[in-house]
Amino acid sequence: MEQPKGVDWTVVILTCQYKDSVQVFQRELEVRQKREQIPAGTLLLAVEDPEKRVGSGGATLNALLVAAEHLSARAGFTVVTSDVLHSAWILILHMGRDFPFDDCGRAFTCLSVENPEAPVEALVCNLDCLLDIMTYRLGPGSPPGVWVCSTDMLLSVPVNPGISWDSFRGARVIALPGSLAYARNHGVYLTDPQGLVLDIYYQGTEAEIQRCVRPDGRVPLVSGVVFFSVETAERLLATHVSPPLDACTYLGLDSGARPVQLSLFFDILYCMAENVTREDFLVGRPPELGQGDADVAGYLQSARAQLWRELRDQPLTMAYVSNGSYSYMTSSATEFLHSLARPGAPGAQIVHSQVEGHHTQLHGSLGHAFTLVGRLDSWERQGAGTYLNVPWSEFFKRTGVRAWDLWDPDTPPAECCLPSARLFPVLHPSRDLGPQDLLWMLDRQEDGGEALRAWRASWRLSWEQLQPCLDRAATLASRRDLFFRQALHKARHVLEARQDLSLRPLIWAAVREGCPRPLLATLDQVAAGAGDPGVAARALACVADVLGCMAEGRGGLRSGPAANPEWMRPFSYLECGDLAAGVEALAQERDKWLSRPALLVRAARHYEGAGQILIRQAVMSAQHFVSTEPVELPGLGQWVVAECPARVDFSGGWSDTPPLAYELGGAVLGLAVRVDGRRPIGARARRIPEPELWLAVGPRQDEMTVKIVCRCLADLRDYCQPHAPGALLKAAFICAGIVHVHSELQLNEQLLRTFGGGFELHTWSELPHGSGLGTSSILAGTALAALQRAAGRVVGTEALIHAVLHLEQVLTTGGGWQDQVGGLMPGIKVGRSQAQLPLKVEVEEVTVPEGFVQKLNDHLLLVYTGKTRLARNLLQDVLRSWYARLPAVVQNAHSLVQQTEECAEAFRQGSLPLLGQCLTSYWEQKKLMAPGCEPLAVRRMMDVLAPHVHGQSLAGAGGGGFLYLLTKEPQQKEALEAVLAKTEGLGNYSIHLVEVDTQGLSLKLLGTEASTCCPFP
């Protein structure tokens, strides 16, 4: 199921207790916006609670006021207006009280979870999980209004919780299921069958809880999540100007108002519950307030009276998420450790911990403080209390510590508890403090009381006193540093272990957190020390990704030329096989290109160029399977003609492309085909007496050909520049061993010594450029076959397949093996390569039922779309995605290989509908592999043809060229021409007959033609 579109928040507010933490948490929100967890246009606000004990209700009112103020100012108003709420989606996140087990509170408690789909890798804390839930689970579909979410609980919500917002008004609470036992210490909702909230119970009686039980046997727990409609939010906002509720906001406190503590659920929402009477509401008090004097009760009653007047007529409804879960993050160490192990994740365990103490800032000086508590200790103020899992009396007896060491003599007994005990040393008059200054309490040694005296001599703070002194910025920075240190180990392991795990999120994390250099150094080390060219090439590709990410979308397209002279020195090391020196030289050159986005992008291109050198060296291993046999040398002037069909790929394309072909293993099903009854690709070669090379590229009619004469080795130097005139033909002479371009012998000497003269080579294709029918690779095969025979050698077809792989690497075009397999080998076949080097391609003929080939011919058509494929960088984009191991690309690559076998079975069965399904699925796979390969005009054409075909796909990589169809009815050329003729905007298309070729490569010797002078100008 696709993840629903997330909420485009207008404002996200995070409330916190401490003024010194506001900037720290503001930065954390901004970091998450950079990670794309929060929309780019969202206003982010970290807001200090007006008073420490303002309560969740007061914090909500204050946050709503601050949001309205900022939105009003943005809209050009000079006063606060609630009109700005009408088109706003506001999310208020409450950090709540201090948490004994995390200095940054429950919101920033790290969880043992990963989000593999996150664009940026990071530590996952509770805030991140709640942001995801609110943005993608609970929030979608809601009207403008205000969401409020506590961060003191662990939530689990399904992707589509099924909340209806039809005719909604008022406020809505989100409830999750809980057991009756859990409800005894928690809040639950009582509703009618339509979801209208009748009452809210906190630590209710057995009878009250039983009334709340739902048909599933569970009770709806108060989850800490509520939504206010615009109307209700306006009503609530209006109270900020009315005493005593004005004291809940910073404006009231700045005006000298007396603070009031309000609960979101048991004050603000409680007055909206249907069964609550005004009398009961006014005399009640929220559970977090506890018992106090009559003056406090009277002040709260006045506040509640104001809430009743404003909100009583607003309906309160409940949305019950039956397959979600809720767990409050209590101050129980046992329960906290249990939540870290995440019972929902089998086998989860804590594998590493680091003791570094609490980061503190005391009187402007940075330091560390250490705390020590027992797993069973209670942080509550009620009860007898324990420390280090034993009663205080036993602790005093064991350690020699006395009550007056921990509390002042006039401290009320009820206040003598763990949070207020001055247990933790923060400063010693003569030495630094460490964990040992507390650990002695666990097992007191015979030291003559030295540890106790040192402890008493230290300036000590209680846990409560320590909270305002904590340096939360340093704490978060320390976590981030630890995360990146382990991330470097992870990156190294993923590469060296050849894991199909994407490092792209980690790369983005390093760049956006401002620390890419350590990652670059690690990648350099992996590349330089790799014994496997695949590992080294992937490491270099990751360096390119880092550089591309550093450019932040500026500086131009990632794909582009990579032959700047400044980079030739490191490239030369790689070409010579000196990987370590090459990587070092690359890094030295890289440092000169980091100053601006344009240079970063160009450097990234050159790193990808370096990776291509390593790919080329890996593919060159295919030469192991190239062999020739000597035969009689044809006479001077005797033409050798090689002709081939085109190819149509039915499944598996892209899996044959290096490095996928030897890292994943490839499988492609292809057909050799004649187009309009002709074999459209060919080459002819002959020996000539002149010690020169005469090259011709173009149709068989001479007037259209490009003619080139090579009289010296310098004329061949551009053989590795694919767009240079005649580059493929020049590369063919070099790969055939006819010419040695780096020899000390001149060209004429080489030709005369070995062959007694030169050669003429002419290649042609009757297909348009960018056809998608494998033209260039098949053309290379025909050129090599003709040349080798003209030079007195024969090469087998399977050897020729590998020879073309070698030639395309020499030519630097890259490319896989499916085109030459499809065109050089006859009929219907599957080509396969294993995930290993040297790269070897094996071909299996697919046997089909008798008469099926003719049936296929009757139903198979080619449509030239009139669109030449302009996306020259499709290959680079695919390789970039593969090296990044993007999960969708990795899964798709495996699917391509698997579906090839399914497609072969459909051919064996002779089932056109099954083959049509394969084609349709194959085209979707191609689009996933290379986004952008489907032009709009082609999509329009495919939509028009869809009712008439079993399946269809663009040939090859897509982007233009030929579309091939498997029609439902036979011999549909004229019928489909009529269909397309009625469709506007399709351009210069044409439909062609196609039939399976059962011959493949043909090679023949013609008669001798005299050649006494160069026929070229």
Side-chain angles (χ1 to χ4, degrees):
M1 181 182 294
E2 290 187 9
Q3 181 167 270
K5 184 180 183 297
V7 180
D8 189 6
W9 299 112
T10 311
V11 186
V12 171
I13 297 179
L14 182 64
T15 69
C16 56
Q17 288 190 69
Y18 302 105
K19 178 175 64 178
D20 293 341
S21 300
V22 169
Q23 283 303 110
V24 176
F25 296 135
Q26 177 73 29
R27 180 183 180 278
E28 288 301 309
L29 289 177
E30 292 166 358
V31 164
R32 281 154 179 79
Q33 193 169 53
K34 287 182 179 179
R35 293 181 192 154
E36 303 176 26
Q37 292 175 251
I38 301 173
T42 302
L43 174 64
L44 305 177
L45 299 170
V47 176
E48 177 196 5
D49 291 340
E51 282 285 328
K52 185 176 180 181
R53 293 294 181 181
V54 76
S56 58
T60 298
L61 179 55
N62 184 65
L64 180 58
L65 171 62
V66 172
E69 267 195 318
H70 279 78
L71 292 178
S72 298
R74 270 190 171 187
F77 295 103
T78 56
V79 295
V80 176
T81 172
S82 63
D83 291 347
V84 295
L85 301 180
H86 286 256
S87 58
W89 279 264
I90 298 172
L91 174 61
I92 299 172
L93 297 156
H94 290 313
M95 287 194 60
R97 303 173 183 175
D98 297 323
F99 190 43
F101 311 118
D102 197 295
D103 289 351
C104 297
R106 292 171 171 87
F108 291 96
T109 298
C110 294
L111 304 178
S112 56
V113 295
E114 273 188 314
N115 182 2
E117 297 178 2
V120 181
E121 187 167 336
L123 284 171
V124 177
C125 63
N126 194 33
L127 178 69
D128 300 306
C129 293
L130 294 173
L131 268 173
D132 182 78
I133 287 171
M134 298 306 302
T135 304
Y136 295 105
R137 310 288 174 98
L138 294 177
S142 64
V146 180
W147 281 96
V148 183
C149 178
S150 171
T151 62
D152 59 5
M153 71 287 190
L154 300 172
L155 285 188
S156 173
V157 176
V159 172
N160 186 359
I163 301 174
S164 173
W165 296 97
D166 295 340
S167 305
F168 169 76
R169 64 180 293 263
R172 172 165 288 167
V173 292
I174 305 298
L176 291 112
S179 66
L180 276 68
Y182 193 86
R184 293 189 189 104
N185 294 305
H186 201 73
V188 293
Y189 296 113
L190 175 65
T191 67
D192 69 6
Q194 287 71 45
L196 185 69
V197 175
L198 304 177
D199 211 332
I200 309 175
Y201 301 129
Y202 179 74
Q203 293 183 344
T205 65
E206 288 293 330
E208 289 172 333
I209 294 173
Q210 281 293 339
R211 283 200 292 271
C212 299
V213 174
R214 297 183 64 83
D216 60 5
R218 314 274 279 171
V219 291
L221 298 175
V222 174
S223 70
V225 182
V226 61
F227 176 76
F228 293 100
S229 69
V230 169
E231 180 189 359
T232 307
E234 285 183 298
R235 296 279 195 93
L236 180 60
L237 179 62
T239 66
H240 87 274
V241 296
S242 303
L245 290 177
D246 63 335
C248 292
T249 70
Y250 81 95
L251 285 179
L253 292 174
D254 286 354
S255 302
R258 175 185 171 187
V260 60
Q261 183 174 355
L262 284 182
S263 165
L264 172 61
F265 289 89
F266 295 97
D267 283 317
I268 294 176
L269 294 176
Y270 191 55
C271 72
M272 301 163 64
E274 185 71 13
N275 288 356
V276 175
T277 65
R278 185 177 187 276
E279 292 72 22
D280 289 342
F281 180 66
L282 293 183
V283 299
R285 59 175 57 215
E288 57 256 49
L289 188 62
Q291 299 300 316
D293 56 33
D295 186 37
V296 171
Y299 197 52
L300 176 62
Q301 189 176 73
S302 176
R304 282 190 157 202
Q306 181 68 20
L307 288 172
W308 185 272
R309 283 192 295 271
E310 289 290 346
L311 300 177
R312 178 57 189 172
D313 64 341
Q314 296 294 296
L316 179 64
T317 56
M318 179 190 77
Y320 180 66
V321 184
S322 61
N323 49 351
S325 66
Y326 167 93
S327 176
Y328 179 70
M329 298 173 72
T330 72
S331 56
S332 162
T334 299
E335 292 183 17
F336 175 63
L337 292 173
H338 180 68
S339 70
L340 280 183
R342 303 290 288 183
Q349 57 183 316
I350 299 173
V351 296
H352 178 70
S353 57
Q354 178 168 305
V355 179
E356 60 177 21
H358 305 268
H359 294 270
T360 60
Q361 192 169 47
L362 300 169
H363 304 296
S365 141
L366 301 178
H368 287 80
F370 294 90
T371 57
L372 179 68
V373 294
R375 185 172 62 87
L376 304 179
D377 291 343
S378 170
W379 291 87
E380 304 298 329
R381 293 181 180 275
Q382 302 93 338
T386 63
Y387 183 55
L388 300 182
N389 303 325
V390 297
W392 283 108
S393 57
E394 185 176 336
F395 169 74
F396 293 150
K397 181 180 179 181
R398 187 173 71 191
T399 61
V401 174
R402 296 294 178 257
W404 59 78
D405 290 319
L406 306 181
W407 302 286
D408 293 334
D410 57 351
T411 303
E415 295 295 318
C416 293
C417 56
L418 177 55
S420 64
R422 293 189 298 269
L423 282 160
F424 310 120
V426 295
L427 191 65
H428 190 275
S430 61
R431 63 174 176 82
D432 291 335
L433 294 167
Q436 70 278 1
D437 291 292
L438 281 171
L439 292 175
W440 65 272
M441 296 179 179
L442 293 174
D443 184 19
R444 188 174 181 186
Q445 304 294 320
E446 294 297 330
D447 61 353
E450 180 60 32
L452 177 60
R453 286 192 294 272
W455 178 81
R456 281 183 169 146
S458 301
W459 178 32
R460 303 183 310 281
L461 296 178
S462 69
W463 182 80
E464 288 179 336
Q465 293 169 328
L466 194 58
Q467 297 310 300
C469 304
L470 294 175
D471 189 340
R472 292 173 175 85
T475 300
L476 292 167
S478 174
R479 289 181 191 175
R480 199 164 284 123
D481 175 66
L482 180 60
F483 166 75
F484 279 113
R485 277 188 279 151
Q486 68 81 28
L488 296 181
H489 289 287
K490 173 184 175 179
R492 179 185 294 275
H493 176 72
V494 165
L495 293 172
E496 292 178 344
R498 303 171 183 81
Q499 293 182 340
D500 283 341
L501 189 67
S502 178
L503 293 179
R504 182 80 57 87
L506 194 154
I507 289 170
W508 271 117
V511 170
R512 291 184 175 176
E513 299 284 343
C515 49
R517 288 184 181 272
L519 179 57
L520 287 171
T522 298
L523 295 172
D524 289 342
Q525 293 167 11
V526 173
D532 181 334
V535 172
R538 186 180 173 191
L540 295 180
C542 287
V543 172
D545 261 357
V546 174
L547 298 173
C549 291
M550 289 171 68
E552 295 183 328
R554 297 172 291 162
L557 296 174
R558 276 288 302 274
S559 298
N564 187 288
E566 300 295 323
W567 293 83
M568 291 305 104
R569 186 176 72 89
F571 282 11
S572 66
Y573 285 124
L574 297 179
E575 294 281 11
C576 295
D578 192 344
L579 186 57
V583 171
E584 183 180 0
L586 283 168
Q588 291 170 355
E589 187 60 35
R590 178 183 70 213
D591 288 341
K592 306 172 188 175
W593 296 65
L594 303 179
S595 58
R596 63 180 191 272
L599 292 180
L600 285 163
V601 169
R602 290 166 64 192
R605 293 171 181 169
H606 284 82
Y607 262 90
E608 289 182 344
Q612 285 292 336
I613 293 173
L614 299 183
I615 292 174
R616 187 157 62 247
Q617 291 171 345
V619 176
M620 290 289 196
S621 64
Q623 282 182 283
H624 288 286
F625 310 106
V626 178
S627 60
T628 62
E629 294 291 335
V631 293
E632 183 181 353
L633 192 68
L636 282 172
Q638 185 175 15
W639 285 108
V640 179
V641 179
E643 289 185 319
C644 265
R647 74 95 184 90
V648 169
D649 54 315
F650 254 70
S651 187
W654 286 121
S655 72
D656 66 301
T657 305
L660 282 78
Y662 57 81
E663 291 184 353
L664 169 74
V668 181
L669 191 148
L671 280 63
V673 295
R674 300 180 183 228
V675 180
D676 291 328
R678 296 195 299 272
R679 293 150 60 80
I681 302 166
R684 60 178 182 169
R686 64 173 176 172
R687 291 171 53 230
I688 57 176
E690 294 80 6
E692 301 170 347
L693 303 179
W694 299 351
L695 314 179
V697 181
R700 299 190 191 211
Q701 292 78 15
D702 286 348
E703 66 271 10
M704 298 294 291
T705 58
V706 176
K707 299 175 181 179
I708 304 158
V709 178
C710 299
R711 295 188 171 93
C712 62
L713 291 176
D715 295 331
L716 293 165
R717 299 291 185 197
D718 57 358
Y719 70 92
C720 57
Q721 298 174 25
H723 302 295
L728 186 148
L729 282 67
K730 295 173 184 179
F733 276 103
I734 293 166
C735 292
I738 293 172
V739 175
H740 301 281
V741 74
H742 298 298
S743 172
E744 295 181 0
L745 296 177
Q746 293 301 312
L747 176 61
N748 60 346
E749 294 178 274
Q750 293 185 44
L751 293 172
L752 287 170
R753 178 175 297 185
T754 309
F755 302 103
F759 288 86
E760 181 177 351
L761 175 61
H762 180 192
T763 61
W764 64 86
S765 168
E766 297 173 7
L767 299 171
H769 178 68
S771 67
L773 299 181
T775 305
S776 59
S777 299
I778 299 172
L779 199 64
T782 60
L784 283 171
L787 268 183
Q788 291 283 22
R789 184 63 188 88
R793 311 165 190 147
V794 291
V795 55
T797 309
E798 291 202 7
L800 195 58
I801 290 168
H802 295 87
V804 173
L805 271 173
H806 175 227
L807 183 147
E808 291 189 326
Q809 296 304 319
V810 168
L811 188 61
T812 69
T813 55
W817 45 253
Q818 67 145 312
D819 295 343
Q820 59 265 38
V821 169
L824 298 176
M825 302 288 285
I828 305 165
K829 60 271 171 182
V830 175
R832 297 183 182 87
S833 61
Q834 300 300 314
Q836 63 186 35
L837 290 174
L839 176 57
K840 183 179 182 181
V841 184
E842 297 176 312
V843 183
E844 175 196 356
E845 179 185 356
V846 177
T847 304
V848 298
E850 186 176 351
F852 182 70
V853 169
Q854 183 55 51
K855 184 178 180 182
L856 187 63
N857 293 342
D858 290 339
H859 288 262
L860 195 58
L861 286 175
L862 282 176
V863 180
Y864 182 61
T865 62
K867 298 288 181 183
T868 299
R869 189 172 72 228
L870 299 178
R872 293 179 179 174
N873 300 321
L874 280 179
L875 174 61
Q876 289 157 294
D877 292 341
V878 170
L879 296 190
R880 191 175 301 129
S881 298
W882 171 253
Y883 272 135
R885 293 303 195 273
L886 300 183
V889 171
V890 172
Q891 181 180 353
N892 193 46
H894 284 280
S895 298
L896 282 165
V897 174
Q898 179 182 344
Q899 186 174 291
T900 295
E901 306 305 333
E902 296 170 1
C903 187
E905 184 58 33
F907 269 105
R908 294 185 188 104
Q909 294 178 22
S911 171
L912 291 179
L914 282 179
L915 288 175
Q917 291 175 23
C918 288
L919 275 187
T920 300
S921 174
Y922 184 33
W923 179 234
E924 294 304 315
Q925 290 171 334
K926 285 184 179 182
K927 289 192 292 183
L928 184 58
M929 210 70 180
C933 69
E934 182 181 79
L936 287 175
V938 172
R939 180 69 265 167
R940 193 179 307 120
M941 181 181 289
M942 295 177 80
D943 289 342
V944 170
L945 293 170
H948 307 279
V949 301
H950 288 301
Q952 55 186 324
S953 172
L954 278 177
F962 279 94
L963 174 69
Y964 51 98
L965 323 168
L966 202 58
T967 62
K968 293 179 179 177
E969 301 298 327
Q971 301 175 353
Q972 290 291 291
K973 181 175 183 290
E974 290 77 11
L976 294 186
E977 283 174 337
V979 169
L980 293 180
K982 298 175 184 176
T983 307
E984 296 182 359
L986 295 185
N988 188 26
Y989 66 88
S990 57
I991 300 183
H992 302 266
L993 296 173
V994 61
E995 58 188 277
V996 176
D997 179 273
T998 56
Q999 185 178 3
L1001 171 68
S1002 67
L1003 198 66
K1004 56 185 176 182
L1005 275 66
L1006 302 182
T1008 302
E1009 293 182 15
S1011 175
T1012 56
C1013 63
C1014 177
F1016 298 170

